[in-house]
Every structure is written in structure tokens, then in C-alpha cells.
Amino acid sequence: MLARNAESLYWIGRYVERADDTARILDVTVHQLLEDSSVDPDQASRTLLRVLGIEAPTTPLDLWSLTDLVAFSRDTQGGGCSIVDSVSGARENARGAREVTSTEIWECLNTTYNALAERERAAKRLGPHEFLSFVEGRAAMFAGLADSTLSRDDGYRFMLLGRAIERVDMTVRLLLSRVGDSASSPAWVTLLRSAGAHDSYLRTYRGTLSAGRVVEFMLLDRLFPRSIFYSLRLAEHSLDELMKRPHNRLGATAEAQRLLGRARSELEFLRPGVLLESLEKRLAGLQETCRDVGEALAQQYFHSAPWVAWHDAGHSASLVIEEGEV
């Protein structure tokens, strides 16, 4: 597979996951601001912007200004990504990799992007919930189409790898926003709902809510697809398949593979009951791992140097440069 196609598929997976997760988080925050008059809108808005890595303005924030920044803003400041930016990024990458994606996936992303302007106008009249539900539904449709229309080849694995790494990063951001909260704070319920984990958590722990168990569930659960451990294991498996040697006798030979394996094993063999002791440091380490894995993948697969060959043409040599493959 060409390096540019591999990179496009990887970022399609990341951008769609980012749009979905951002819509989920914003939707829960909007409902909290509407339903609970004791919540300070400015403080809650700044917490959310910090989670998403979006630069907060100096002026006071409310529900509407928060939605403008997180959902509708173009070229978001501070390194974060609004929902519109994320959908646009996924569509542009899909347009550049049409030969390795299905028609259904392209039509899903293109239709979603073209519907955003109308949905935005409706949201400004009726409220943001319908817009956010639309994005969540389209992300679910994209995931279903990817699973049902793509061959399980390297392209699919790059998309799955991007989705898994983005999911780790967004879950880490959510947990970081709650570091320091009391064990009985209602913010832990908000966190579970933002990750779509509330129902699964209640079934797992029979309705008992505590900060330690919420952190344990979101970090370590082996069965919930949005937990950090599950996503790390999925990313690691996808990378093993890409390298086509999942049982290397010498262990991890690539930097990204080593980083993912180390992060997964540190969680897998963590002693029970110690999660809250150094939670912020542990989460910061996982966030750094996501950045390092992204850079390692770029070096290994996406930013390959051109392959150079000299061909003898009579008495002169001609330089032929071909795009590298992964």
C-alpha cells in the first residue's frame, strides 16, 4: 500500500472517532448545563475545552459560545479539533484515498460533511442536541460501513489502528478532567455518560458507583470497547497484523509496537487498588504514549523516503524516484 493511502486511512479512523467522542462529551455537558442550575456554565465550559485541548477565550462562556467553539468552529485554536474540523478532515483524507476505500464510506463522509451547514443552522434555532445526535449517528454508520464493506487488508488495519489510538487519547482526556474530584462527585456519572459507558458500568458493578470503580472500568475493563486497555490491545493487534509477524522470536522490533505493548502490559499487570494513587501521572504517561506512537507510525509507515534507483540509459544515468510503499 502507498504511504499516502496508509496515512489517509489512519487519519480517517482518528478524525471520525474524534468527531464521535467530541459530540458525545459535548452532548452530556449541554444536558448538564440545561438541567442543573447549580453548575457554573463558565467553569464547566472551560473544563471541557481543557479536556479537548481547545484554547479558551478570555470572555465568559455559556452553553451557546461553548457549542460554537467545540462543534462549529473552523481552524480551532490550541491544537484541538472541533466537530466540523474533524468531519472535514476525515472527508478530505477519504477524497485523497478513494482507490482504497469503498464507495459507501466515501458517500457516508461526503453526505455527512455536506449536511453540516444545514444542521448547524437548525442547531442555532432549536438547540445543539439534534446536531450532536446526527454526528453520533453518522459516526456509527461509518463504523458499520467500514466493518461491512472493507476487506480485512492493510488499509482496514490502518483505519482500525487510528480509531483505537484516538479512543485511548480521548478517554485519557476525560479521566484527566476528573482528577481531584471527590469519590461521591456526580461528575463521575457525567464521565461515564460521555464515554457511552454508563449502562455497561451499571451492569458490571450492579449499580454501585464509586470513583475507584469508574476509573477501574474505564482503564482496565477487558470487554468494554471504549476502555483504555481494550483500545490499546486492539491497536497492538492491528499493528502486529500490519507487521505480519505477530509472534516474533525477538519480541517487539518496531518503536510503535514496543510503546503500545509497554502501555498495555503496565495496565494488565497493575496491582489492584492502586489506580487512584498516581492517576494523573499514569494518565499523562498514556497521553504521551499516544503522541509517541503517532510519531513512530509516521516515521515507520507514512514519511518514508523516496526509493531511488539509477538506470543506465546508454552512456548516461537517469534518476528514477518512486513513492515508497508500506
Side-chain angles (χ1 to χ4, degrees):
M1 173 175 287
L2 294 178
R4 60 177 175 81
N5 287 334
E7 185 171 18
S8 292
L9 288 164
Y10 170 80
W11 280 107
I12 290 170
R14 291 203 67 161
Y15 277 129
V16 172
E17 181 64 28
R18 188 175 302 178
D20 184 23
D21 290 347
T22 303
R24 289 172 178 272
I25 296 169
L26 180 59
D27 200 17
V28 171
T29 303
V30 166
H31 276 85
Q32 184 184 29
L33 292 176
L34 290 172
E35 295 169 0
D36 190 349
S37 59
S38 66
V39 176
D40 179 11
D42 184 66
Q43 183 178 352
S45 298
R46 292 184 185 279
T47 298
L48 176 55
L49 293 177
R50 187 165 60 250
V51 167
L52 299 175
I54 298 175
E55 186 176 321
T58 55
T59 55
L61 291 164
D62 57 15
L63 184 152
W64 294 105
S65 55
L66 174 67
T67 303
D68 282 339
L69 279 172
V70 175
F72 309 134
S73 176
R74 271 76 171 173
D75 301 320
T76 314
Q77 299 299 312
C81 222
S82 72
I83 294 172
V84 170
D85 280 341
S86 297
V87 173
S88 177
R91 175 180 178 265
E92 287 305 308
N93 278 281
R95 181 160 61 178
R98 287 290 304 277
E99 67 269 27
V100 291
T101 59
S102 65
T103 301
E104 291 85 353
I105 281 181
W106 163 249
E107 289 177 349
C108 175
L109 291 174
N110 191 46
T111 302
T112 304
Y113 174 80
N114 288 324
L116 289 180
E118 181 182 349
R119 296 280 177 166
E120 179 179 343
R121 288 192 294 269
K124 290 180 177 179
R125 294 194 315 270
L126 306 172
H129 175 68
E130 290 300 322
F131 176 87
L132 301 174
S133 296
F134 169 75
V135 173
E136 291 173 36
R138 299 299 293 187
M141 178 184 290
F142 170 86
L145 289 172
D147 286 343
S148 61
T149 65
L150 290 182
S151 299
R152 292 335 190 232
D153 55 10
D154 284 355
Y156 178 80
R157 296 186 184 105
F158 274 115
M159 187 180 292
L160 206 62
L161 180 60
R163 181 199 298 174
I165 292 173
E166 186 66 28
R167 190 167 285 181
V168 171
D169 184 57
M170 293 297 285
T171 304
V172 165
R173 290 175 184 271
L174 266 178
L175 288 169
L176 275 171
S177 71
R178 301 274 67 93
V179 170
D181 285 1
S182 66
S184 59
S185 171
W188 295 106
V189 177
T190 302
L191 184 149
L192 288 172
R193 287 176 174 159
S194 298
H198 190 241
D199 292 338
S200 294
Y201 172 88
L202 293 179
R203 284 192 289 269
T204 302
Y205 291 103
R206 302 296 189 271
T208 304
L209 184 69
S210 70
R213 285 184 170 180
V214 171
V215 173
E216 180 181 74
F217 184 78
M218 294 307 303
L219 268 172
L220 302 179
D221 194 85
R222 266 61 168 174
L223 302 179
F224 183 63
R226 291 184 178 274
S227 78
I228 290 175
F229 179 85
Y230 188 101
S231 299
L232 283 172
R233 188 167 59 180
L234 177 61
E236 191 179 12
H237 175 72
S238 299
L239 190 56
D240 286 342
E241 291 293 318
L242 283 168
M243 297 181 70
K244 296 182 176 63
R245 48 176 183 270
H247 303 294
N248 194 317
R249 291 177 61 182
L250 301 179
T253 57
E255 181 67 5
Q257 186 188 31
R258 184 187 67 80
L259 290 166
L260 288 170
R262 184 183 66 182
R264 188 259 312 152
S265 61
E266 285 178 355
L267 290 180
E268 188 170 12
F269 301 107
L270 195 64
R271 285 189 298 110
V274 301
L275 277 177
L276 293 179
E277 291 179 6
S278 54
L279 180 60
E280 187 171 8
K281 181 179 179 182
R282 194 180 309 280
L283 293 173
L286 285 166
Q287 201 168 33
E288 184 177 354
T289 295
C290 288
R291 288 195 298 268
D292 292 343
V293 168
E295 292 176 2
L297 290 172
Q299 291 294 325
Q300 184 176 357
Y301 291 111
F302 308 148
H303 297 163
S304 56
W307 179 71
V308 180
W310 290 94
H311 291 276
D312 189 10
H315 297 289
S316 63
S318 61
L319 179 63
V320 177
I321 302 179
E322 298 182 3
E323 185 176 4
E325 295 190 0
V326 297

